[in-house]
Amino acid sequence: MTYRIAVLPGDGVGKEVIEAAMIVLNEIALDAEYLYGDIGWEFWRREGNPLPDRTVELLKQTDCALFGAITSKPKDEAQKELAPELQGKGLEYYSPIVKLRQMFDLYANVRPAKAYPGNPLNYKDNINITVFRENTEGLYSGVEYYPVPDEIEEVLKNHPRYKKFVGMDKAISLRIISRKGAERIIRAAFEFARENNLKNVTVAEKPNVLRETSGLFVKVAREIHKEYPEIEMWETNIDAQAMWLVKNPEKYDVIVTSNLFGDVLSDLASQLVGGLGFAAAGNIGDNYAVFEPVHGSAPKYAGQYKVNPIATIRAVRMMLDYLGEKKKAARLERAIEMVVAEGKVRTYDMGGNASTLDMAREIAKKYAEA
Ligand code: NAI
Ligand code: MG
């Protein structure tokens, strides 16, 4: 069966790293049809919608998507840049990637942080951590108030710890952890550990303070762990975990956590192994998935073919795994390893002067040999 893969280059260097990824995908010769879709700032300006309906329709007809990067700007600037004929129509900018996560219920944000030996940017050479961040709820549920409506104030005013806030000028964001939400991300983390013969899964939360939300998350983890007796489960506090990631990152195989904590921890982990030039993410749900580099459109470098495409090529590797193309995925991983270990072709962030496409061509060449 021919795969149908949506390709969403987006803005700035997003276009360049996707061009690089396609060089590699061509070498891999996956039996796939690539369908290009419009997304990003350009479409906000011209059409008042950064994720046009035709793109959503296209995605619905594909197995998964490969996404580059987009530009987004604060509210006021977004309004100013809108085409004159679209001004004053009440159009509001929103993040298309956040919208995609919600629309397709892409609850698992999977962020590998693996050190490729020979990368001069590595903090240590033996790091290989995969962070599973819950992607749809927690502190990013989007249930926020400012000002706080009277009916909410009415309900909360009798809470002993809320009393001091009554009548104050204040904002509230709700941290919502559902049992279903916790279950599916924790299960995804354990399944990944089992599939890859990994030894440990760490649940990094803060149940001593966030007794109810983190408490539920950890409780669910203990229940699910019973189904995976061959895997060790460690419980840590999120703050201490940040410290340990700097102290002994090589100890951790898989870390699973809620939305905000995972956002922070995965950025920390990726900086240990080369930063934005290397950091890839999968946004994975039960029926669809979007793979992307973690970085944005890097306007400073747009049009220069300077940035490192390895992050996006790693996203391709994750996509191959998702599609069940395990052999091709492993072969691509070896090709990246070879190029980094050899150290002949390096982009600026690695201290070299190879272009985005030079790096992609070198990885494609090594794929042919691997
Ligand atoms: P950015 O990630 O675009 O770039 C920040 C800096 O990181 C760059 O100037 C560059 O020094 C380095 N960098 C980024 N990608 C790299 C790569 N592949 N290789 C080597 N170095 C790399 O973040 P910034 O500048 O904060 O945001 C620029 C735009 O991107 C904004 O409009 C922002 O909203 C958007 N953005 C979009 C994201 C997405 O599409 N998922 C994620 C983050 C930001
Ligand atoms: Mg982040």
Side-chain angles (χ1 to χ4, degrees):
M1 192 200 68
T2 304
Y3 298 117
R4 290 169 67 83
I5 298 173
V7 180
L8 309 172
D11 304 305
V13 302
K15 292 191 171 77
E16 299 163 33
V17 292
I18 289 291
E19 190 181 331
M22 293 313 292
I23 291 175
V24 173
L25 274 165
N26 278 333
E27 181 63 44
I28 293 173
L30 196 63
D31 181 12
E33 200 182 330
Y34 299 101
L35 303 148
Y36 282 74
D38 297 333
I39 194 168
W41 198 249
E42 215 181 304
F43 301 95
W44 161 252
R45 293 183 64 175
R46 293 211 306 247
E47 305 175 22
N49 187 356
L51 181 64
D53 294 344
R54 61 182 178 280
T55 304
V56 174
E57 286 313 306
L58 176 106
L59 296 181
K60 286 181 183 160
Q61 291 163 30
T62 56
D63 299 301
C64 60
L66 182 63
F67 165 63
I70 48 136
T71 297
S72 58
K73 298 185 188 178
K75 235 174 162 175
D76 297 351
E77 274 177 71
Q79 284 307 325
K80 267 189 236 144
E81 291 197 23
L82 206 50
E85 67 274 17
L86 297 172
Q87 302 261 352
K89 290 198 170 167
L91 294 167
E92 268 193 54
Y93 182 80
Y94 62 88
S95 161
I97 184 74
V98 172
K99 180 92 175 272
L100 283 179
R101 287 172 185 160
Q102 289 162 355
M103 193 178 272
F104 292 95
D105 201 17
L106 307 175
Y107 59 83
N109 190 254
V110 184
R111 293 269 307 264
K114 169 178 156 172
Y116 291 102
N119 181 358
L121 301 170
N122 285 345
Y123 176 67
K124 290 185 180 177
D125 267 351
N126 54 354
I127 300 170
N128 194 353
I129 305 168
T130 306
V131 179
F132 279 71
R133 159 190 167 195
E134 205 292 322
N135 219 6
T136 58
E137 49 180 54
L139 201 55
Y140 298 167
S141 302
V143 185
E144 302 194 296
Y145 301 102
Y146 186 76
V148 177
D150 291 343
E151 61 268 28
I152 303 289
E153 191 86 343
E154 194 57 35
V155 172
L156 290 175
K157 74 174 189 218
N158 295 319
H159 192 291
R161 292 198 197 85
Y162 192 80
K163 285 200 172 107
K164 67 178 178 202
F165 297 113
V166 172
M168 284 176 87
D169 183 3
K170 61 186 175 284
I172 296 180
S173 303
L174 280 187
R175 185 178 199 249
I176 305 175
I177 304 276
S178 71
R179 173 174 278 276
K180 176 185 163 198
E183 267 175 17
R184 59 188 191 175
I185 189 69
I186 293 163
R187 192 174 296 285
F190 276 105
E191 278 298 315
F192 178 84
R194 176 172 279 173
E195 252 176 49
N196 293 284
N197 294 314
L198 300 173
K199 290 193 288 291
N200 57 69
V201 171
T202 299
V203 186
E205 277 291 324
K206 191 78 182 180
N208 51 336
V209 177
L210 299 167
R211 290 176 185 278
E212 305 308 335
T213 46
S214 285
L216 178 61
F217 199 91
V218 172
K219 179 171 141 62
V220 169
R222 288 180 189 168
E223 290 167 16
I224 290 178
H225 179 218
K226 294 198 181 103
E227 299 168 37
Y228 302 85
E230 80 279 16
I231 298 165
E232 261 192 84
M233 184 177 99
W234 299 331
E235 294 174 20
T236 62
N237 282 327
I238 188 67
D239 48 345
Q241 188 60 56
M243 215 167 59
W244 285 324
L245 273 186
V246 176
K247 191 173 175 208
N248 45 20
E250 65 282 356
K251 267 178 64 178
Y252 300 93
D253 293 334
V254 176
I255 298 176
V256 61
T257 182
S258 53
N259 208 337
L260 165 69
F261 293 167
D263 194 6
V264 177
L265 219 54
S266 56
D267 274 16
L268 168 51
S270 57
Q271 195 54 41
L272 300 174
V273 298
L276 288 174
F278 288 82
N283 302 276
I284 306 174
D286 289 331
N287 302 306
Y288 199 69
V290 178
F291 299 90
E292 55 168 337
V294 168
H295 64 78
S297 61
K300 198 163 87 187
Y301 293 109
Q304 299 180 34
Y305 286 96
K306 260 190 88 167
V307 301
N308 193 343
I310 290 183
T312 311
I313 295 166
R314 291 221 69 193
V316 168
R317 187 250 137 105
M318 295 178 83
M319 182 175 84
L320 293 171
D321 264 326
Y322 173 80
L323 293 171
E325 296 286 345
K326 303 285 175 191
K327 275 198 189 140
K328 289 185 161 69
R331 190 168 162 193
L332 177 55
E333 190 69 17
R334 281 199 303 280
I336 303 171
E337 281 168 4
M338 283 159 74
V339 173
V340 176
E342 238 178 47
K344 281 198 310 214
V345 177
R346 286 178 169 171
T347 44
Y348 87 90
D349 55 320
M350 303 169 76
N353 51 27
S355 77
T356 306
L357 302 185
D358 288 339
M359 177 61 93
R361 285 187 209 107
E362 188 65 17
I363 292 172
K365 193 174 126 207
K366 286 289 189 289
Y367 182 91
E369 295 166 11

